[in-house]
Amino acid sequence: MKRLVRFVATLSLIISCLGWLGSSQTALATNLNDLGSAFRPSVLLAAEPTEPLRNAVEDKMATEFGKKIDLNNTNLRAFRQFPGMYPTLASIIFRNSPYEKVEDVLDIPGLTEQQKETLQSNLKNFVTSEVSKELTEGDDRINNGIYR
């Protein structure tokens, strides 16, 4: 009985392996012109742009935003470069945004004196601008996926 089971198992294994060695299937091509006008390729003419295409984020990076931390748009991880800011104080700033001017960050309720001193010493490193959906939508402000 064991020999019969081994024989059937071996035979089925050999037959299944032969399926992998089967004949290759030839590709069938057709002339699209014979199928009617629905399948004819169309020609699309595009005009050259009169001015170079610009990315909103690249425009923003060319301003002060690229050199300082924008309190309304910057990713939380950018605060790591300033001692005492990341993660606690950075997340407080994040939760209370947007800000109209940089000094508004000092008016966040519940800040300790040490946190206010840390913010005061770093005000020159901050800037505020309009909230940009390219930088803030989704969870990009929390985790933009750039790890250095």
Side-chain angles (χ1 to χ4, degrees), residues 18-46:
L18 289 177
W20 293 345
L21 300 174
S23 64
S24 61
Q25 193 172 13
T26 58
L28 300 175
T30 185
N31 187 355
L32 289 179
N33 293 328
D34 294 341
L35 295 176
S37 63
F39 293 104
R40 286 203 181 118
S42 63
V43 177
L44 176 65
L45 298 176

Side-chain angles (χ1 to χ4, degrees), residues 33-103:
N33 293 328
D34 294 341
L35 295 176
S37 63
F39 293 104
R40 286 203 181 118
S42 63
V43 177
L44 176 65
L45 298 176
E48 271 191 45
T50 56
E51 58 187 59
L53 298 176
R54 296 288 304 162
N55 182 328
V57 175
E58 289 175 359
D59 289 340
K60 196 169 198 89
M61 291 303 283
T63 65
E64 251 187 319
F65 175 83
K67 298 166 189 65
K68 296 184 177 185
I69 289 185
D70 186 340
L71 296 174
N72 295 329
N73 294 300
T74 302
N75 182 278
L76 282 178
R77 293 175 60 87
F79 286 94
R80 291 184 313 160
Q81 60 185 310
F82 303 114
M85 296 288 295
Y86 183 82
T88 306
L89 196 50
S91 62
I92 291 171
I93 293 169
F94 176 77
R95 283 193 305 262
N96 289 284
S97 67
Y99 303 98
E100 289 187 26
K101 56 186 190 297
V102 173
E103 290 76 21

Side-chain angles (χ1 to χ4, degrees), residues 11-25:
L11 184 63
S12 62
L13 182 62
I14 291 171
I15 291 172
S16 64
C17 288
L18 289 177
W20 293 345
L21 300 174
S23 64
S24 61
Q25 193 172 13

